[in-house]
Amino acid sequence: MNGTSVFPAGTRLENRSLYFTELAPTLGGEYVVTHRGEVESATGTVELRLVTEAIDESSASGQGQSGPTVYWRETDPLATEDIEGLAPGESHRVAFEVNTTAVSERIAEIESELGASPGTTRVSVVARTDLEAEVAGQRFVDGRTDRLDIEPGAQTYSVERDVSPAGTYDASRTVAVSVEPSPLKQYGGLLLMVLGTSGAVLTGTAIRRNSISVRDHEQAQLDYARTRSDLDQWISTGTVPGDDDERTVVELNSLRDLVNVAIDSDRRVIERSDARPRFVVLDDDVRYVFDPPPAVTGDAQPDTQAGVSPHDSAPTHSSAYETAPTDERDPYASVEGEDARHPDQGS
């Protein structure tokens, strides 16, 4: 600083709202970023720019955004620094200098070129900071823009800070707490195991004595319902044209076969929403159909001999109800572990 009667040479003027251009034409400063909290080290970047512009704060921007109208703007880079491993409680400093005399001369030069001096001239040191840190296992990114506004005058210039508030982030952390098990939890499993074993024994005994039996048509209905549920993603409910539409009719033996046709022809299976269900695939001039058998639609008469009562299971009469094993296969039994993309691909 140049010496005067009130400010001896070498005096450092700092943290003032107004400076004398003749005494201190160059404004020096530091932009400080501080990382706080119970977090991991932060990384990021800091970019400082000198922005000189003429604005009209009384009108909205013509760019479709809120803010003042900008008549002209010039941006000059001041500093760019990377931040690596900024620990909590530490600060990162970026120094800068602005020659206010040179800025005033540049403003006069631009206005001379334009032949006008519209609006209000504003000079700012703009700091753009992006930081990334981890909090309780969650990653957070903080972007902020801070300004140091400089208002140049004929013999003085004023300085005012416009700093964004500190960015804070909340994160949850899962903590494992041991809890003593209650008596029910300690011995409940054993009790359930005993009850479950007893139930299995009783059920097994009942089956061995033929006191529990499933009718054939009931088993068919269960198998059909399971297959219909497994293939639901390829089936839609709706209506189809009548049988007199001159399409060639091809009858399939099972619902699974019909779904295979639909997949191969890139079609949907349509389930007719009538009293009697029918499944149809329309592919050009061919109608592929599958009609569930009466055993699963409820049209068949139930078996007269559905099972054997406990009284009929006496050893002296057991031979009267023995049947030879058969090799009949239910066409609607589902296949466990099948590929979701194709119903024929088993595990």
Side-chain angles (χ1 to χ4, degrees):
M1 186 192 74
N2 301 323
T4 65
S5 58
V6 292
F7 295 109
T11 302
R12 183 180 181 86
L13 302 180
E14 59 184 358
N15 296 328
R16 299 169 60 94
S17 60
L18 186 142
Y19 293 90
F20 300 96
T21 306
E22 183 68 24
L23 299 180
T26 300
L27 175 68
E30 285 184 332
Y31 178 70
V32 183
V33 180
T34 304
H35 184 43
R36 296 189 178 93
E38 297 181 3
V39 294
E40 301 295 332
S41 298
T43 59
T45 59
V46 177
E47 180 185 11
L48 301 185
R49 295 170 292 129
L50 178 64
V51 179
T52 308
E53 57 189 356
I55 62 174
D56 183 359
E57 296 180 339
S58 63
S59 62
S61 174
Q63 306 298 324
Q65 300 177 353
S66 60
T69 299
V70 178
Y71 296 119
W72 59 265
R73 174 181 293 159
E74 186 175 71
T75 302
D76 298 307
L78 294 178
T80 300
E81 293 187 5
D82 294 329
I83 300 176
E84 297 290 344
L86 185 62
E90 294 183 353
S91 299
H92 184 86
R93 299 174 179 270
V94 182
F96 66 90
E97 285 188 352
V98 176
N99 189 322
T100 60
T101 301
V103 171
S104 297
E105 293 174 352
R106 179 56 182 161
I107 294 174
E109 182 181 352
I110 293 175
E111 292 178 345
S112 176
E113 293 174 351
L114 297 176
S117 54
T120 302
T121 304
R122 183 172 67 177
V123 181
S124 303
V125 176
V126 180
R128 173 63 190 182
T129 306
D130 293 296
L131 285 180
E132 183 175 353
E134 187 172 297
V135 181
Q138 303 179 39
R139 205 72 181 170
F140 293 93
V141 178
D142 178 49
R144 55 184 297 117
T145 301
D146 302 311
R147 306 174 64 95
L148 179 67
D149 294 327
I150 305 171
E151 186 176 346
Q155 291 83 28
T156 62
Y157 60 91
S158 60
V159 178
E160 183 178 0
R161 294 184 300 174
D162 184 4
V163 180
S164 301
T168 59
Y169 300 91
D170 296 328
S172 59
R173 175 180 299 164
T174 303
V175 180
V177 179
S178 60
V179 179
E180 292 296 330
S182 63
L184 178 60
K185 291 184 177 180
Q186 282 183 308
Y187 306 109
L190 179 61
L191 177 61
L192 291 176
M193 183 182 69
V194 173
L195 293 177
T197 304
S198 300
V201 172
L202 292 176
T203 304
T205 303
I207 293 176
R208 287 176 61 87
R209 295 181 177 179
N210 291 327
S211 62
I212 298 178
S213 95
V214 180
R215 292 188 175 99
D216 292 340
H217 77 279
E218 292 176 344
Q219 183 64 49
Q221 290 175 347
L222 292 175
D223 294 339
Y224 170 76
R226 185 183 302 112
T227 302
R228 173 62 178 83
S229 177
D230 292 342
L231 304 177
D232 184 70
Q233 59 180 314
W234 287 285
I235 300 175
S236 300
T237 303
T239 59
V240 295
D243 295 341
D244 56 352
D245 61 354
E246 298 184 355
R247 283 187 172 92
T248 301
V249 178
V250 178
E251 296 184 357
L252 278 299
N253 294 328
S254 70
L255 180 59
R256 192 175 298 277
D257 291 338
L258 185 65
V259 169
N260 288 338
V261 172
I263 294 175
D264 294 339
S265 58
D266 195 21
R267 295 289 190 271
R268 297 285 299 176
V269 176
I270 306 302
E271 181 180 9
R272 189 178 63 183
S273 55
D274 296 341
R276 178 180 176 81
R278 163 174 273 197
F279 298 87
V280 181
V281 173
L282 300 178
D283 184 17
D284 296 333
D285 58 348
V286 180
R287 176 195 297 262
Y288 299 92
V289 299
F290 167 70
D291 293 319
V296 300
T297 59
D299 296 337
Q301 295 296 325
D303 301 335
T304 56
Q305 179 62 38
V308 182
S309 66
H311 300 289
D312 296 330
S313 62
T316 56
H317 296 86
S318 60
S319 59
Y321 301 99
E322 293 179 355
T323 58
T326 63
D327 191 24
E328 296 178 355
R329 293 187 179 181
D330 190 301
Y332 314 107
S334 62
V335 180
E336 296 184 357
E338 53 197 27
D339 194 318
R341 298 182 301 165
H342 199 291
D344 277 343
Q345 297 176 353
S347 59

